[in-house]
Amino acid sequence: MRIRKSWLLLVCLLPLQVFASEYFQQLGWTSEESRLSGLLQYPEVVEQIYQENGEQLIWFDLQQGSNLEFQLELIQHAGFSPLMSRQLSYLQFYRKSNRWFEYDLLATDTLLLYLNYAEQAKLDGGEWYFEQKLDQPLTPSLESAIFATKRAVANQQLTELIEAYTPDTPDYQQLVDTYLHIVKHHKRDLPGYQQAGLIKQGDKLTDRELLLERLEVVDVDLTDVRRDVTYYDKSLKPAIMQFQRLHGLKEDGVIGPATLKWLNLPLDARLSTLALNAERVRYWPADRNTIILVNVPSYEMTYWHDGKTVFESKVVVGRKARPTPLMTTNLDTLILNPTWNVPWKIMVEDIIPKIQADPEYITQQNLEILPKWGSKERIDPQEIDWDNLNPSAFPYRMTQRSGNTNALGLYKFNTPNKRAIYLHDTPSKSLFNKPQRAFSSGCIRVENADVFATRLLEHQGLSGKKMKGASDKSNKKIPLRKRIPVHIIYQTAWFEEGKTHYREDIYRLDTFSYTKG
């Protein structure tokens, strides 16, 4: 529906484009051969702006044009908008060809496009950054964008206008600063660093200087690293470990395949990652008052209360075949010693095959079989012909009784939503020790869930006595006095503690943007 509306809009704009083209041809600014009329997104508005400006050029200050082009360059490198990339390419062409009238008109029109994008990204960014590329004209320019542009033109404040529509959060600016830092290295065209096998402290290095340059790209601290040796010495190990930490790898100081892969990541790919994640900042929640934020690629969760971080935790998220969806929901209830109603897909694909392989599995896991949800009746598993059962034809439902073996652990943090995604404890504590933690079937497992539960109740003003149910093993629901927003986001690059961190694109959502076409 969105695409069809966009095409209808394009058809509706065609007469206006011709009209605007004739107007600027009469001024002597364009010719019949110019492609400008096919590039303008808001021709009627552009004509109006120039009429009100006394038919004078607007972008006479080249710095203003550079500021606009840089914002478009970030979007181009992010890879999600062929439309923006096309506009930037023509702006660069007109500028390099000294075709200043066409440059001026296209810059004004593209400024309106950028302002519209910035306004709509707060709502539609999730679609552009993860689902469907921005390659069709946006709806007619917003009145607020038109008014702001006219005022900026009148006051010669185009740079200030661009800045006003660009995120001013530290998250955004620090990613952009890192982007500019890597651009400097990109121009040097660094070769890849090569080695054979695992390399650890004391081993020879094929090209230590190149290795240090590769570490410098991501701003690893090399202050104390010796420059007068060619092997892997003691002073180099902290730098390698810092590099591994910045990329979510095991911090062992050994240069293995995973570390080597990140070392040799093409700089163009790093720039794309930084640009894309910078643009995603427009979509993620800026408010950090009272909120729970789960970043899937970092396998981490943070809980803010009254603007302060009160709990941080490692999490386990959905594996590639069953990804955790990006969404916004609300945490409204803490459930102690929960039972688990086994989802159909998990029952069919995971549990029934395990029962068929080992009939004792159903007893070991405290599973019960129900005719349907809500029924008090229980089906005797011995009455079922498991050997000849087609899992997808299983006519019953399964639930797991509360207890230490329950898949949800001892705590469930309920977040009602259509996808049945929520946060919970887990009996599989060892998974939190792994650097990559995509193992669940979509829900989010929280390390130190007992601490998280205590923090929630404390900040809700609920008595600690409410937690008594956790020790007496009874199933108990504790409604929160105020729901807490939960945002599940996807950031593969972010700034933290003075450094930019990178993570694997586990669901290939960045690749969606980078793919051309």
Side-chain angles (χ1 to χ4, degrees):
M1 179 62 76
R2 183 185 294 272
I3 294 176
R4 195 162 82 181
K5 287 182 178 179
S6 298
W7 278 111
L8 288 173
L9 173 63
L10 182 60
V11 171
C12 293
L13 286 177
L14 284 175
L16 298 176
Q17 290 175 332
V18 173
F19 178 73
S21 176
E22 291 177 351
Y23 170 73
F24 291 117
Q25 285 178 31
Q26 291 173 2
L27 291 179
W29 289 14
T30 63
S31 64
E32 293 184 2
E33 294 76 25
S34 175
R35 292 197 59 182
L36 185 66
S37 61
L39 298 174
L40 296 181
Q41 305 294 303
Y42 314 106
E44 187 177 45
V45 177
V46 170
E47 179 182 340
Q48 188 181 75
I49 289 172
Y50 281 90
Q51 286 178 338
E52 294 180 9
N53 194 48
E55 298 177 346
Q56 300 295 315
L57 293 180
I58 293 170
W59 299 84
F60 49 84
D61 183 346
L62 292 180
Q63 184 58 47
Q64 295 178 145
S66 295
N67 291 335
L68 176 61
E69 286 187 35
F70 178 69
Q71 296 305 322
L72 298 175
E73 177 192 325
L74 284 175
I75 295 172
Q76 181 184 53
H77 239 131
F80 64 86
S81 178
L83 174 60
M84 295 279 202
S85 296
R86 184 194 69 177
Q87 303 302 85
L88 173 61
S89 296
Y90 273 96
L91 279 173
Q92 293 171 334
F93 169 72
Y94 288 143
R95 172 169 49 78
K96 293 174 182 177
S97 303
N98 293 321
R99 293 166 65 168
W100 296 112
F101 289 110
E102 288 162 301
Y103 179 91
D104 212 88
L105 296 172
L106 184 58
T108 301
D109 182 80
T110 304
L111 173 63
L112 290 167
L113 176 63
Y114 174 72
L115 300 187
N116 274 310
Y117 155 73
E119 285 282 357
Q120 297 181 38
K122 301 168 187 176
L123 296 175
D124 297 333
E127 179 180 342
W128 299 332
Y129 305 141
F130 299 106
E131 299 174 14
Q132 181 177 320
K133 294 190 177 186
L134 176 54
D135 57 0
Q136 300 295 335
L138 293 173
T139 53
S141 188
L142 300 171
E143 287 299 322
S144 57
I146 296 173
F147 176 78
T149 300
K150 289 182 177 180
R151 184 173 60 183
V153 169
N155 297 322
Q156 298 183 14
Q157 292 181 331
L158 291 176
T159 295
E160 290 80 358
L161 175 61
I162 294 168
E163 290 177 352
Y165 276 75
T166 301
D168 60 356
T169 64
D171 291 345
Y172 177 87
Q173 192 54 57
Q174 289 157 345
L175 286 174
V176 171
D177 289 345
T178 303
Y179 175 94
L180 293 172
H181 168 75
I182 291 182
V183 164
K184 299 175 184 177
H185 290 277
H186 189 241
K187 295 176 181 178
R188 295 165 54 199
D189 193 25
L190 283 178
Y193 169 76
Q194 305 298 323
Q195 69 178 37
L198 299 178
I199 298 295
K200 58 184 182 301
Q201 184 177 328
D203 291 342
K204 294 181 179 179
L205 294 170
T206 55
D207 191 337
R208 180 183 168 101
E209 196 56 41
L210 177 58
L211 174 60
L212 295 182
E213 287 187 82
R214 281 281 172 177
L215 294 173
E216 262 183 335
V217 166
V218 293
D219 199 27
V220 168
D221 185 3
L222 302 178
T223 305
D224 297 324
V225 176
R226 291 178 60 180
R227 300 282 182 160
D228 59 343
V229 296
T230 59
Y231 64 97
Y232 188 157
D233 72 314
K234 182 179 179 181
S235 72
L236 179 58
K237 188 172 182 178
I240 296 297
M241 292 176 66
Q242 184 185 88
F243 179 88
Q244 292 171 329
R245 181 166 59 256
L246 295 179
H247 295 84
L249 304 174
K250 182 179 180 181
E251 297 175 47
D252 57 8
V254 177
I255 306 176
T259 301
L260 190 62
K261 175 185 174 182
W262 278 108
L263 278 169
N264 287 328
L265 184 70
L267 299 193
D268 199 60
R270 282 200 187 271
L271 291 174
S272 293
T273 296
L274 290 164
L276 178 58
N277 283 281
E279 290 303 310
R280 284 173 177 167
V281 169
R282 300 177 186 272
Y283 182 62
W284 305 136
D287 177 30
R288 293 292 189 273
N289 185 29
T290 298
I291 185 177
I292 295 168
L293 198 68
V294 177
N295 183 22
V296 173
S298 71
Y299 310 108
E300 292 178 340
M301 182 190 85
T302 305
Y303 167 35
W304 282 272
H305 180 77
D306 284 345
K308 297 179 181 179
T309 301
V310 294
F311 179 77
E312 294 179 288
S313 170
K314 297 177 182 178
V315 297
V316 172
V317 300
R319 53 187 182 270
K320 295 177 184 179
R322 298 177 187 172
T324 297
L326 310 184
M327 60 189 297
T328 299
T329 182
N330 291 287
L331 197 164
D332 68 356
T333 308
L334 169 62
I335 302 176
L336 307 179
N337 300 303
T339 56
W340 180 42
N341 292 330
V342 183
W344 174 260
K345 186 172 184 178
I346 296 176
M347 181 179 70
V348 170
E349 296 183 3
D350 301 342
I351 293 182
I352 292 180
K354 290 179 180 179
I355 296 173
Q356 290 174 322
D358 179 9
E360 296 300 317
Y361 182 84
I362 197 166
T363 303
Q364 295 167 356
Q365 297 299 317
N366 289 322
L367 292 167
E368 294 181 334
I369 302 174
L370 293 67
K372 60 181 180 180
W373 294 130
S375 175
K376 294 182 179 181
E377 181 186 351
R378 296 296 182 263
I379 306 296
D380 186 348
Q382 294 184 0
E383 296 179 358
I384 299 173
D385 184 4
W386 296 103
D387 292 335
N388 298 307
L389 174 68
N390 177 2
S392 61
F394 191 66
Y396 307 123
R397 297 292 181 264
M398 286 186 187
T399 187
Q400 187 181 39
R401 295 189 294 272
S402 60
N404 292 328
T405 60
N406 187 280
L408 307 185
L410 301 179
Y411 305 89
K412 177 182 176 182
F413 307 94
N414 203 36
T415 53
N417 59 83
K418 294 180 180 179
R419 299 183 181 184
I421 297 298
Y422 46 83
L423 287 68
H424 64 87
D425 185 19
T426 177
S428 304
K429 310 294 186 186
S430 61
L431 293 180
F432 294 115
N433 296 325
K434 297 182 179 293
Q436 285 75 42
R437 297 185 290 277
F439 300 111
S440 83
S441 293
C443 287
I444 299 160
R445 306 176 193 176
V446 180
E447 187 181 35
N448 300 320
D450 56 337
V451 179
F452 181 40
T454 301
R455 294 283 187 278
L456 285 174
L457 296 185
E458 286 175 353
H459 295 117
Q460 292 278 323
L462 297 171
S463 170
K465 294 180 181 179
K466 298 277 189 180
M467 293 288 286
K468 183 180 179 182
S471 58
D472 63 20
K473 305 302 181 184
S474 62
N475 179 268
K476 186 176 184 180
K477 293 184 178 180
I478 306 176
L480 301 185
R481 289 177 174 171
K482 187 174 182 180
R483 297 188 303 172
I484 304 173
V486 177
H487 293 262
I488 304 174
I489 70 170
Y490 197 90
Q491 281 286 94
T492 50
W494 71 93
F495 200 84
E496 181 182 334
E497 296 180 348
K499 298 290 181 182
T500 299
H501 294 245
Y502 303 83
R503 290 298 184 271
E504 180 189 358
D505 177 20
I506 55 177
Y507 298 156
R508 312 302 292 166
L509 296 181
D510 289 4
T511 304
F512 154 78
S513 293
Y514 303 159
T515 303
K516 304 300 180 183

